[in-house]
Amino acid sequence: MNETPTWNGRAILHVDMDAFFAAVEQLDHPEWRGLPVIIGSPEGRGVVSTASYEARRFGVKSAMPSVRAKRLCPGAIWAPPRFKRYHEISGAVLSIFADVTPLVQQVSIDEAYLDVTPGAHSTCDPPGMARDIQLAVADLGVTCSIGVSTSKTVAKIGSDFTKPNGLTIVRPGEEAAFLAPLPVGTLPGVGPRTAGSLTSRGIFTLGDLAALDITTARQILGTSADTLMARAAGVDL
């Protein structure tokens, strides 16, 4: 009988709500479930706040001009944002987190980091805690995706790895191997311009970035070189 490996060391969860605003609207309007929903104004120079996964299949994305979203998904349901309601659900989600650990760093209304290091505030297995959180959030009528690892960087990348309602577990010692094949633009802090500078020099993956010599890295990345190289190897400085 195979036993779950013991988690040794730091454990960080990054919890990211799935298409949060749109998911809340589909919760409150059951007839919209399974249909493309866009939060924002379809008129004038508005932009998309959030799009349901059904709308995203048409290419609709957050911050996209509404006029383009309407062209891509002419049959979408448009809804104005209801921030009071979103904060209500967000508060309920935060209460779930608080029941798990006192070490919660809320990043925005729909994402947070949780320190669930065994021995500090819990003896439970971190992946098991992530699964429990997903079940509790689902009971509210929405879903979340979670990355579990030893660093914020890897946990955040993991939470976006399989969506919606995804769970990505990167155990201690697996960080570098998990990150190595991913495109450099996957790394938080590497925007399109920086990614372009790296790829133009043949640095395409996070493994390539982690393997750079520090002199070359500083020539390309400047003062961010040390931090980005460490993160590319799965280490938060």
Side-chain angles (χ1 to χ4, degrees):
M1 182 176 179
N2 293 328
E3 296 184 359
T4 302
T6 301
W7 191 284
N8 295 311
R10 190 179 187 218
I12 302 295
L13 310 185
H14 181 260
V15 185
D16 191 16
M17 302 302 294
D18 298 321
F20 184 51
F21 295 176
V24 174
E25 296 300 335
Q26 289 176 317
L27 169 66
D28 291 350
H29 301 86
E31 69 276 15
W32 292 357
R33 292 175 185 170
L35 300 177
V37 176
I38 300 175
I39 309 303
S41 172
E43 307 301 330
R45 297 184 179 181
V47 296
V48 173
S49 175
T50 309
S52 70
Y53 285 95
E54 295 84 0
R56 293 182 190 192
R57 295 189 188 108
F58 290 86
V60 179
K61 300 178 181 179
S62 299
M64 174 181 286
S66 297
V67 63
R68 185 180 177 199
K70 287 196 295 184
R71 287 199 303 266
L72 290 172
C73 191
I77 298 167
W78 288 78
R82 296 184 298 144
F83 293 109
K84 182 178 180 180
R85 177 60 171 151
Y86 306 151
H87 279 286
E88 179 184 336
I89 298 294
S90 178
V93 172
L94 285 172
S95 293
I96 292 171
F97 298 164
D99 287 340
V100 173
T101 174
L103 301 179
V104 177
Q105 180 188 3
Q106 185 178 12
V107 180
S108 65
I109 192 173
D110 61 352
E111 65 173 315
Y113 292 100
L114 285 67
D115 188 329
V116 294
T117 302
H121 298 283
S122 174
T123 57
C124 296
D125 179 57
M129 297 176 77
R131 295 185 187 97
D132 289 344
I133 288 171
Q134 285 189 311
L135 291 173
V137 169
D139 284 343
L140 298 175
V142 291
T143 64
C144 64
S145 295
I146 305 180
V148 188
S149 194
T150 57
S151 73
K152 288 183 177 181
T153 296
V154 181
K156 181 173 177 60
I157 291 173
S159 69
D160 198 43
F161 209 64
T162 306
K163 273 184 162 287
N165 202 32
L167 176 60
T168 300
I169 301 166
V170 183
R171 291 187 172 275
E174 298 176 352
E175 302 89 348
F178 169 75
L179 295 174
L182 301 180
V184 289
T186 306
L187 191 68
V190 175
R193 180 176 295 181
T194 301
S197 296
L198 290 166
T199 56
S200 68
R201 292 168 171 82
I203 304 160
F204 297 102
T205 68
L206 295 183
D208 295 336
L209 176 56
L212 274 181
D213 67 90
I214 191 61
T215 300
T216 302
R218 287 172 178 165
Q219 289 173 350
I220 301 170
L221 301 170
T223 56
S224 300
D226 296 66
T227 298
L228 293 178
M229 285 184 66
R231 289 178 179 172
V235 179
D236 284 343
L237 295 181

